[in-house]
Amino acid sequence: MNDYILQMKNISKSFPGVKALDKVSLNIRPGTVHALMGENGAGKSTLMKCLFGIYKMDEGEIIFDGQPVHIKDTNDALHRGIAMVHQELQPILERSIAENIFCGRYPLKKFGPISIVDHAKMYQETEKLLKEVKLNFNPRIKLGNLSVSQMQSVEIAKAVSVNAKVVIMDEPTSSLTENEVEGLFDIIADLKSKGVSIIYISHKMEEILKISDEVSIMRDGTYVGTWKASELTTDLIISKMVGRELTNRFPKRENVPGEVVLEVKNFTSINPKSFKDCSFNLRKGEILGIGGLVGAQRTELVEAIFGVRHTVSGEVIYQGKKLKIKRPRDAIKNGIALLTEDRRATGIFGVLSISDNVGIASLDKYLDYNFVLNNRKLESLVNDNVKKMSIKTPNNKTQIQTLSGGNQQKVIIARWLANDPNILILDEPTRGIDVGAKYEIYTIIAELAKAGKSIVMISSELPELMGMSDRIMVMCEGRISGFVDSQDATQENIMELATKYM
Amino acid sequence: MNTKKLDFKKIDNVLNFMGNNAIVILLALVVIFVSITKKGFFTESNFQNIAINVAPRYLIALGVSGALITKGTDLSAGRLVGLGAVLASTLLQSSTYSNRMWQSLPELPIVAVLLIVVLVCALFGLLNGLVISYLNVPPFLATLGMQTIVYGINLVYSKAEPIGGLRDDYKAIATGGYGIFKNLFIIAIIVGLIFWFLYNKTRYGKYMYAIGGNEHAAEVSGVNTVFTKLKIYALAGTMYGLAGFLLASKAGGASVNLGLGYELEAIAACTIGGVSTSGGVGKVQGILVGVLVFELMKTSMQYLQINTSYQYIVQGIVIIVAVAIDIRKYTKKK
């Protein structure tokens, strides 16, 4: 018989400007939890999206249940028994739980010559499925009424409903509380006992070592290897993931924090579920990290400071002067810059050139007669910054969307540097970019701080947070739960603060 | 071996280019065919005719282009052209004309009337912008509503009667010119240059493209998106007013139905000319090509003696194909 339920052989996949997967292989045994690890941008999610039919792989072979298969799309994957619980859930909030589970494959009944949806059967089945994942809900209620963890359970119920043989879970615990994580592990154990294999993607070492049977590691789009979980330790995993000594993961920082330049006082969101009464200080030349779990409202807080979101209270005092920031351009005028979290949604202008992407925030400074753009001066500014950031591009007319994620990020950093801000707020500055570009961005951050700029950096990666910050502010459930100096910071004390109010 | 590979790449590029410009190429072939086979097509008078027809349509297309580039649209264009034409005509009727609308109106200077017309249409455009920016009504619906409102206003104002008896000096604007260049043609060229300047050399243009490229990112980058959109829709209104003013002069009169469907022609011309419906892309010169192509297509069909009813069908097909090609360019394959 076959040892493996699923074999992925020599999978390659390229995106414009970046090879995301280079001959990656993965073998999954039936009835096991198989952890897939690697840094952000290592290609884990891409590999899984190829398996689940979201992406088409360029080359490679998938053997599922002993048969070579060609997975056309997600529906095909589901029919074959491959299900995925997404990193970013994509539920239809306005429809019922039952409809979310059976969307696209509703049970039908004949009504004379036509087929209609068999609602009674759908609700009945849903009720059964929900019991399996220990949810006690009426299948008719809107999905939007559930919490994130409950929605996740619904996704798992969906996987169960297709009799999936392989369930992919992409960072399922990133937005769960400890209790909820325990609940999830119970469900996983249950699935395992039924012979279902789980491919489990996570960054959390303890979790991985606790629940997985085997661990495969990827790095920069390549396959590093597979080990029994019992043979691994956290340090071993990290060194295999990073592939080099940990000591030079971050550049040397020579910045010296000076006097307080920015005071943020009593920020409270207009949304009662968001941040409440947040106050902190920022020093000249300081790198202040902001840590916390997904959903801790860190992004919401910094966006409110920058004027993107609405508040009921809050003051920003810059060098003793109270700033009136109602919208982003007020913040920009006062020398504040914000690198947003979601590059694609709020950062890049995809179809526009690098020049336009860099110049957009500084046009006011390059006007003749207060009206006509001085394109020559503007272009030299762009050139300077493209060089400073060492952005890899054929020329400045290139559309930004053809660049790799790391280069896109550098273009947006260049946009802000062109404006010469004193305070830079960076929201997940290295998300989804490759290791090399990460290091370059760390270097830029360190140099800026050394030059006396003040930096606020949100990061969900603890090593990055600890390696780059002078001071770490931790948020939990919309509140600031504490500050840790970087020399005293450990994964444990940060996580403790991050779950303080849960 | 190596050279062969290179050749394939070249062929690929050529095919791609032809695919992306299929409509322009196809119509160029039709125009060549018509000018060879039909007498009278390749003549100065026909070209002058085409130029005069293209001019007001180019103005309207330029007006719509700002809305399209910012991922919006402006369906009120045609009706505003109609309102502009009727308004201009009623204010520039000859004092000896018996059916004059404003019997006691003195002879106004033409420039004053032009300013009034342009201002009124700009105000309606501004209203579009306000509804879109402040009430967040999708441009499609906001301007669809405005289309009907403007038509209604025009019906009330004109009492649904055709306006004739225009002053000779007003009619002379359309017929006059310098040598072979008619005034309409010259005005269109000047406005085209102004738009090129606005789109390429000012913050307004950069902000417009940025909003089309990614409105959220524009807002976060400090772009005043609301104000920019207000300007875009008001400027569009200005263009409709100007076009209406010129069209009435050219036709020697106006009625409420003048301008009917012009917005669709303008949107089609923009799309053929490379203004992307996905936003952020579009050039002033491309729009000119688009309008020219559309007009040449209509003229060629007339010369080929294709029944006008069929002409509508062909125009509709061209619009759909143009958008399909545009979308194909911008949808990335996964």
Side-chain angles (χ1 to χ4, degrees), chain A residues 13 54 306 328-329 332 340 344-349 352 356 360-361 363-364 367 370-373 375 415-416, chain B residues 197-198 200-203 206-207 209-210 213-214 216-224 279-281 330 332 334:
Chain A
K13 169 80 188 164
I54 296 174
F306 195 66
R329 54 180 180 280
I332 294 167
T340 52
R344 196 174 279 274
T346 53
I348 64 166
F349 302 101
L352 302 189
D356 286 341
I360 189 74
L363 298 183
D364 288 347
L367 294 177
N370 217 5
F371 180 61
V372 186
L373 281 177
N375 281 331
R415 173 191 302 164
W416 291 119
Chain B
F197 179 80
L198 276 178
N200 295 290
K201 298 282 172 195
T202 66
R203 275 174 299 180
K206 296 276 181 198
Y207 289 167
Y209 287 116
N214 186 344
H216 289 297
E219 183 70 39
V220 174
S221 305
V223 174
N224 193 337
V281 177
Y330 293 99
K332 270 180 277 139
K334 276 181 180 172

Side-chain angles (χ1 to χ4, degrees), chain A residues 350-366:
Chain A
V351 293
L352 302 189
S353 67
I354 291 173
S355 298
D356 286 341
N357 269 283
V358 173
I360 189 74
S362 347
L363 298 183
D364 288 347
K365 294 180 189 161
Y366 295 89

